Amino acid sequence: MSDIDTNKADLARRSVLGVATAALGLGATAALLPSTASARGSAGADGIHPPPTPAIDTSHATPELARLISRVFEAKTSRHVDATLSYFYPKSTTYIDASLGWPIYSWDELHKLFAGLMPTWPATARSYPTKILGDTNSALVFFIDTPELFGHEIRPMGVINFKEGKIARWIDYWDGREFTLADMKAQRTPDEKFPTDFKESKVGETAKRSIKRVAHTISDALSGGAVKEAASLFSDDAVLEDQAVRTVVTGRLNIGAYLERAAAHLPYGAGAEVRHVVGGHLGGGYEWTRGSGAVRRGVTALELDGDGRISRYTSVWDGSLVSDDELSRLQALVIEH
């Protein structure tokens, strides 16, 4: 079966599940999966009783991945150190905050970090996913950390790789302006000490061929100025979102026109290269890097339709690295003339 046929089969299966759910009067589709323990108000994995969380968009994730990621966040929100770390690969764990430049290169280091942090979190603190993309080989998750955890609400994208069913690599990207410029300046690792090795070579490229092809094709097109080729990869009603610039463009033709004006100025445009790809037939994303400019790294999420076209393209990078004037210039590029 081809990648496109697999996409269509997976989406068709979700459509059938959605109809069945509606017929049962449950009031939700298969694409909006509440955390199992939260929905029941009863204990989840390891006897954990997490507080209720909003529904999760799992329309571009396998059911197995959706369950696994939900349990990870249930454990984290419940401030259960051992339960949280039970989902990480003990032989080789990498966690890096790509905005602050905080690297952790072992399971023991990560355990020590959570053991120090979690007891300080109040019962009202929550960390929960809002969207999950990919499969249990590699994935991308949108999530929210409420202000009780780190002093400010942040909305990262986590890039995840698995080994033997456990998380072996997790890289968080988020917009530093959510954290305030002063706190980012105080806590970000200096440029000369900022980590450059994000350990993607340790986990390898395990993303499905379909998502790798789309990721490399659109990145190469944007980097090289081939905007028409980039626009052709989108579905007719696609959405392009840049969370740092706070822009949303809807429709393939509008996206193409926007990229004509903006691609040369965006961090993931001219000069950007793919660092690492994650995800499955329905969606995932890619980390990208640049050799010059104020913004050197970020991540883009890709949601694919049944024909393998991009239905949603969402980029996250650290907006605190550029001036207010530069952000204003980037925002102005969305205006049609």
Side-chain angles (χ1 to χ4, degrees):
M1 180 180 291
S2 69
D3 287 340
I4 290 177
D5 289 340
T6 302
N7 284 3
K8 289 181 175 179
D10 285 344
L11 288 171
R13 174 170 55 85
R14 278 162 171 71
S15 177
V16 171
L17 287 172
V19 171
T21 304
L24 290 170
L26 298 179
T29 68
L32 294 173
L33 173 72
S35 159
T36 304
S38 301
R40 289 200 308 263
S42 59
D46 305 300
I48 291 168
H49 296 261
T53 59
I56 308 166
D57 182 349
T58 63
S59 58
H60 292 75
T62 62
E64 296 80 12
L65 174 68
R67 287 191 293 269
L68 175 57
I69 295 299
S70 295
R71 289 167 183 162
V72 172
F73 281 93
E74 287 171 2
K76 181 181 174 184
T77 289
S78 297
R79 308 180 306 283
H80 197 308
V81 177
D82 291 338
T84 303
L85 269 293
S86 72
Y87 293 103
F88 287 81
Y89 189 55
K91 299 177 185 178
S92 176
T93 294
T94 295
Y95 168 76
I96 298 175
D97 186 307
S99 294
L100 289 173
W102 292 357
I104 293 173
Y105 294 130
S106 75
W107 187 96
D108 289 337
E109 283 185 75
L110 189 60
H111 188 281
K112 182 178 180 180
L113 174 68
F114 280 128
L117 286 175
M118 285 183 174
T120 70
W121 295 344
T124 54
R126 291 193 300 161
S127 182
Y128 57 93
T130 58
K131 183 182 293 186
I132 303 169
L133 312 174
D135 58 30
T136 52
N137 290 308
S138 61
L140 192 151
V141 58
F142 295 65
F143 65 99
I144 296 173
D145 285 333
T146 62
E148 296 93 332
L149 275 73
F150 305 113
H152 305 278
E153 179 178 282
I154 59 175
R155 295 172 174 263
M157 276 193 212
V159 178
I160 305 171
N161 288 91
F162 299 91
K163 279 191 176 181
E164 300 176 16
K166 304 285 187 178
I167 299 165
R169 179 180 183 268
W170 186 313
I171 314 294
D172 281 341
Y173 294 85
W174 47 282
D175 178 11
R177 285 180 176 259
E178 298 171 349
F179 208 61
T180 75
L181 295 180
D183 281 349
M184 287 300 292
K185 183 177 180 180
Q187 298 190 46
R188 184 192 287 119
T189 301
D191 288 346
E192 64 273 15
K193 296 182 179 179
F194 207 97
T196 57
D197 185 359
F198 280 24
K199 303 298 182 182
E200 62 272 15
S201 62
K202 291 186 69 174
V203 294
E205 291 286 348
T206 62
K208 290 292 189 292
R209 182 176 58 189
S210 51
I211 196 73
K212 284 196 289 188
R213 182 177 62 248
V214 174
H216 281 278
T217 302
I218 193 162
S219 179
D220 290 348
L222 292 175
S223 180
V227 175
K228 289 184 179 179
E229 180 183 355
S232 71
L233 299 172
F234 289 85
S235 63
D236 289 345
D237 297 315
V239 175
L240 181 149
E241 179 182 10
D242 187 317
Q243 292 191 354
V245 184
R246 310 292 197 267
T247 58
V248 176
V249 183
T250 304
R252 180 173 54 83
L253 295 179
N254 291 330
I255 290 170
Y258 168 70
L259 291 176
E260 286 279 2
R261 299 188 296 273
H265 307 282
L266 295 169
Y268 44 90
E273 297 181 351
V274 173
R275 165 176 242 152
H276 184 59
V277 184
V278 296
H281 294 300
L282 299 174
Y286 65 99
E287 298 167 79
W288 45 264
T289 60
R290 297 176 76 206
S292 61
V295 181
R296 300 295 184 92
R297 65 199 63 84
V299 65
T300 296
L302 301 171
E303 299 171 41
L304 306 182
D305 67 11
D307 294 318
R309 294 186 179 275
I310 301 168
S311 58
R312 191 174 188 98
Y313 175 106
T314 308
S315 285
V316 169
W317 49 277
D318 184 2
S320 73
L321 294 170
V322 299
S323 67
D324 293 358
D325 288 343
E326 177 61 19
L327 274 181
S328 295
R329 284 191 287 270
L330 290 174
Q331 289 170 342
L333 292 171
V334 79
I335 300 172
E336 297 275 4
H337 296 283

